[in-house]
Amino acid sequence: MSLRQFIASRKFLRHVESLTNIATLGWKEVAGLLGLHDDVFYNPQHKKIEKPVTAILIGAGHRGTIYADYASENPDELQIVAVADNNAERRKRTARKHKIIPEHCYKDWKDVFIKEKFADAVIIATPDQLHTAPCLAALDAGYDILLEKPIAPSEEECRLILKRAKETGRIVGVCHVLRYSPYFRELKEVIDAGLIGEIISVQHMEPIEHVHMSHSYVRGKWRNSKMAAPIILAKSSHDTDIIRWLVNSPVHDVHCFGNLRWFKNANAPEGSTERCTDGCKVEDSCAYSALQIYYRDRKRTYVFDLPEDEDEQGSFILEQLKTSDYGRCVYRMDNDQPDHLTVNMLFENGTTAAFSMEAHVSYEGRKTRIMGSKGDIIGDMESFVLTDFKTRKQTSWSLKTDAHGGGDHRLVKDWVQAVYQQNKDLLSSSIEVSVESHLMAFGAERSRQNRTIEDIKL
Ligand SMILES: NC(=O)c1ccc[n+]([C@@H]2O[C@H](COP(=O)([O-])OP(=O)(O)OC[C@H]3O[C@@H](n4cnc5c(N)ncnc54)[C@H](O)[C@@H]3O)[C@@H](O)[C@H]2O)c1
């Protein structure tokens, strides 16, 4: 991209008023300029919403609640007018929060579609295995959709959703929330501005901090690839999407190695018991003690639907540890998700990428190295440093990280605008590209299972 083209770019125009003499600017100044501003999400195409978009929430669990909270904070933009969830408590809580009339509270997603279309859109945040059917029903009924990732747990279902989305012409936003983190958005802008030339290769690492791994992929809802989806899809489809987005080219081939090395029966320590509450002899020295994580440290307790009264919470958690999967020994589960894997990707433009997902780490926060024709970038999700090969000058960007909710709500904001303006281009990803990033994950899983190199074709 030439400097002239860059000056015409949206990002540059945003800051043009602060410049006195554009002609004197070189790339270095432009790069510095990019780092000075934090409103990387400003979109001049967004319009004032005159009448809020109305949406039905299907699945009022952890994720659904976060998306619906956008409506509570921005009632002029989005209203949740109905809820479907087979958990009565979550249904009631959502109805109370969003003032939903009893006739619009459904026990099952299917009940929503018995009626004629009565809202603009549907938010689907049900478990992985329950995305396809409500999504197809919503498309057939004429709703626009916000769909949690993964789109669906199988390649066939993803393709079916893509086909139906094209046929109906409806808007399907997939929740690629990482694209809405300041870090990746700024990285993308710097790359698209040509500051490191053409991308030659990428190294990207996703550390799943070890307790997070035990919570979600050993004890939790995603522990078994047949019950949920393979971890490369369930967890790392964010990363296949991000790599595809940064490289900006369709993928050609993928290859994967990986296995479940540690969280299995053979590694159960002597003296350990079925549950941490069963008098386990090594409980106090185990990094995965459920008593330590959920009861003493009160971490990740959102999975328990805790009683509001804090005095009741301790005994409630203990009871959950005696009865739910979260109290079971990490070495005695029916988990099959790999705890480490590496994926090699070759893109159609010749770029290569090496991705690794690691569970045996003490930290979170993705690490990325991008090698370009004119320079390189080293980043860690909080900051990144660009080195220009010619000048050796280094420019660094420090980005304020925000909780997951920050990115989630920016994603909803874009989606609401897309639905309001009936303009798919306002979404960060098209459904085609979203499906493609899922095909990369399915291909990687096939490669891991069959020791093959997989050709990826949309
Ligand atoms: N984008 C991300 O970063 C991200 C992060 C975590 C999870 N997810 C995905 O979000 C989805 C939801 O995950 P979650 O953690 O919120 O799960 P959750 O279990 O907290 O919520 C799912 C909800 O769906 C409800 N449900 C189940 N069957 C139903 C039915 N027949 N009709 C209506 N509702 C039904 C459940 O009662 C539950 O309340 C999953 O697909 C998950 O993989 C995405």
Side-chain angles (χ1 to χ4, degrees), residues 65-78 98 405 409:
T65 302
I66 294 175
Y67 298 128
D69 281 349
Y70 184 84
S72 310
E73 289 168 26
N74 303 277
D76 299 341
E77 293 182 30
L78 178 67
H98 298 279
H409 281 194

Side-chain angles (χ1 to χ4, degrees), residues 280-351:
C280 173
K281 299 259 184 318
V282 292
E283 187 273 314
D284 63 348
S285 61
C286 177
Y288 303 101
S289 159
L291 282 162
Q292 188 66 42
I293 298 167
Y294 303 104
Y295 180 67
R296 295 184 204 115
D297 293 346
R298 299 285 161 101
K299 295 266 171 66
R300 301 175 192 275
T301 52
Y302 56 82
V303 287
F304 298 138
D305 289 319
L306 290 182
E308 277 170 25
D309 184 345
E310 284 187 17
D311 292 343
E312 293 174 20
Q313 290 179 356
S315 55
F316 187 88
I317 293 170
L318 278 182
E319 188 52 33
Q320 291 292 315
L321 297 187
K322 287 179 189 157
T323 53
S324 79
D325 290 326
Y326 294 102
R328 292 172 63 192
C329 173
V330 290
Y331 302 104
R332 295 161 194 276
M333 303 294 305
D334 53 347
N335 57 313
D336 71 350
Q337 302 282 24
D339 46 19
H340 63 126
L341 55 79
T342 59
V343 183
N344 277 312
M345 306 167 199
L346 172 65
F347 290 84
E348 283 184 5
N349 66 0
T351 301

Side-chain angles (χ1 to χ4, degrees), residues 20 27 32 57 75 90 113 121 130 157 163 190 200 260 291 300 305 318 340 365 382 420 436 456-457:
T20 49
W27 279 110
L57 177 64
R90 293 180 182 181
F113 301 102
L130 210 58
E157 289 166 88
K163 182 167 172 284
V190 165
I200 308 296
L260 174 59
L291 282 162
R300 301 175 192 275
D305 289 319
L318 278 182
H340 63 126
E382 288 183 357
Y420 178 68
E436 196 195 311
I456 308 296
K457 281 201 181 69

